[in-house]
Each structure stands twice: as structure tokens, then as C-alpha cells.
Amino acid sequence: MTAPSDSSADRGAARAREYLQLVEAGRTDDAEQLLTGLTDTRELVYVGAGFTALARRTGRTLPTAMRAQASSRQVLLGQLRDRNRGDADGLRTWLREAAAEVQTVQRLAEAARRRLGEQASAG
């Protein structure tokens, strides 16, 4: 077994997961503190990359139409990121939106799984 990496990308992904866990636990103030504590734009971008990876990974499990919609939302999030390049507060806004997208895609994926399960048991 290998030791976990301490790369910037791995730290960003871990922070993205931590943020989502805090929000899901109703600890929105702690989640906001996590974002506020990130002052370097590179750190913020790596957290955003973590959100993007989570959203895209889950998005690939969606039915075709939902997957296309999720992909379109990812393009819009990329544009929001690009508009705020170099602005830490603007990047935090992007991160909040990216986290919300992860939650949306996860809910859609769960609904699709339930629907498919219901169809299989009805058949």
C-alpha cells in the first residue's frame, strides 16, 4: 500500500470533499470558514478541480439527457471560473456554485438509480 500523496491536487480534492461533508452535515459556517481560509488563488483552483472531478465522475452515471445538461452546467462553471481568475472572492463564489453542482448531480444520479430500480422490479 502506498502513502497518500501530498500534492496540491490531492489537497484540493480532500478540501473539496471536506467542504461537501460540512455542508451535508449542516455546518455551513464551518464550510464557509474552510473557503475563507484559502487565500491563494492556486489553492482555490485546486479545490475547484476537486469539485469538478466529483461532478464529472458522478455525471457520467446519469442518463443521456441528464448527462448533457450536467455537461452544459460544467461549461458555465468553467466560464464563471475564468471570469474570476485572479480574484479570490470571485473564485470562492465559483467554488460554492461548483459544490452545489456536485450535490445536484449526486441527487440526480440517486433519483435515476431509484427509477431504474423501480422499473426493474416492475418488469
Side-chain angles (χ1 to χ4, degrees):
M1 190 164 152
T2 60
S5 170
D6 195 35
S7 72
S8 297
D10 289 339
R11 282 192 306 274
R15 287 177 176 142
R17 288 189 303 273
E18 180 183 358
Y19 179 88
L20 290 169
Q21 290 169 348
L22 290 169
V23 170
E24 289 170 13
R27 297 173 53 195
T28 54
D29 289 342
D30 292 334
E32 191 56 34
Q33 277 186 324
L34 187 148
L35 292 185
T36 304
L38 302 173
T39 56
D40 180 49
T41 55
R42 287 177 43 92
E43 288 179 310
L44 292 162
V45 170
Y46 279 116
V47 173
F51 287 136
T52 300
L54 290 168
R56 288 185 185 270
R57 184 178 314 127
T58 305
R60 285 191 289 272
T61 68
L62 294 172
T64 305
M66 288 178 166
R67 187 171 54 242
Q69 291 171 344
S71 190
S72 294
R73 289 190 304 271
Q74 283 297 320
V75 169
L76 295 174
L77 283 168
Q79 292 170 347
L80 177 61
R81 178 203 59 224
D82 291 346
R83 281 193 307 272
N84 289 291
R85 190 177 309 265
D87 173 17
D89 287 333
L91 288 173
R92 285 188 198 94
T93 297
W94 164 61
L95 291 178
R96 288 181 203 97
E97 294 293 324
E101 175 61 14
V102 170
Q103 293 173 315
T104 297
V105 172
Q106 288 173 339
R107 281 192 304 272
L108 290 171
E110 181 57 34
R113 280 191 293 273
R114 278 195 312 271
R115 196 169 335 118
L116 289 172
E118 290 169 5
Q119 289 173 356
S121 63

